[in-house]
Amino acid sequence: MDNTIFPGATDAIHWSIRRLNSPIIKPPSMNSMSKKTAAFEYMPMLNPWEKLAEAVLIWKAVGRVCTPEECLTLSIYYLGGSNAATEILVKKLARELGRDRYFVMDTVRTWARERPHHSCTWWGKKYGVSSSTANRWQQEITDRLEVLLRSAITGATIGLKESGHVAD
């Protein structure tokens, strides 16, 4: 397997986001001999700065073909729901679906595999509806996020194939 080309867009995006959010620290020379290495790593011949540059190129290729909303969705999906990008998408979804932004934020956090602040029962009591209604509202938001994610990954695949980062 060629370790300079990714097998799919999800691998490339995950790798680039991990590289963009990892600080480049020069390890002490004493520990360099005992440093563990991965069994398989993409682009092992590159130094950390070159890997960072490659990660930026991957993210730029994705940004050229995806809408800003899709890029936010990818960022939230791979980084989690507790970052600055989350607030932008939450406000947009709350406006589109006519829901409270805190309810939408809680749902986005759950979708991004983080712990929600409140349960469906709590939200149901807050809005004076049953917990099944709150659950249905959460499912609407989750369905919208899944559509955005599928669209973003489809667009990213096209962009990354054009840039040569993903195999045909």
Side-chain angles (χ1 to χ4, degrees):
M1 177 177 216
D2 186 11
N3 57 8
T4 60
I5 298 177
F6 296 93
T10 55
D11 295 320
I13 294 166
H14 188 257
W15 182 87
S16 71
I17 287 179
R18 194 173 65 242
R19 290 287 173 259
L20 291 172
N21 290 308
S22 299
I24 297 175
I25 301 172
K26 189 170 182 171
S29 59
M30 290 289 284
N31 294 330
S32 63
M33 291 187 349
S34 65
K35 183 181 176 189
K36 293 181 181 178
T37 58
F40 180 82
E41 184 176 345
Y42 293 107
M43 303 178 193
M45 67 288 196
L46 301 180
N47 69 36
W49 292 104
E50 291 170 331
K51 287 181 182 180
L52 179 65
E54 196 65 36
V56 170
L57 288 174
I58 288 170
W59 198 242
K60 288 293 185 185
V62 169
R64 276 195 296 274
V65 293
C66 292
T67 65
E69 186 179 56
E70 291 171 341
C71 288
L72 286 173
T73 306
L74 286 170
S75 174
I76 291 166
Y77 183 77
Y78 286 104
L79 289 175
S82 297
N83 58 34
T86 306
E87 190 65 33
I88 298 166
L89 186 63
V90 163
K91 285 180 182 177
K92 186 172 186 338
L93 287 174
R95 212 173 324 128
E96 281 179 8
L97 299 172
R99 302 281 177 241
D100 178 31
R101 72 184 180 112
Y102 297 107
F103 176 73
V104 175
M105 175 65 89
D106 221 28
T107 305
V108 169
R109 286 175 54 86
T110 304
W111 177 76
R113 297 170 307 281
E114 289 189 16
R115 186 174 176 183
H117 288 292
H118 303 292
S119 66
C120 281
T121 306
W122 188 91
W123 285 111
K125 287 179 183 175
K126 180 179 188 295
Y127 294 122
V129 295
S130 67
S131 63
S132 62
T133 301
N135 200 0
R136 185 172 35 86
W137 292 347
Q138 282 186 334
Q139 191 59 45
E140 288 174 8
I141 296 166
T142 303
D143 290 345
R144 178 77 172 110
L145 289 167
E146 288 295 327
V147 167
L148 281 171
L149 181 64
R150 277 194 303 274
S151 172
I153 290 176
T154 302
T157 302
I158 293 167
L160 291 172
K161 280 182 181 178
E162 288 173 359
S163 70
H165 288 98
V166 172
D168 286 327

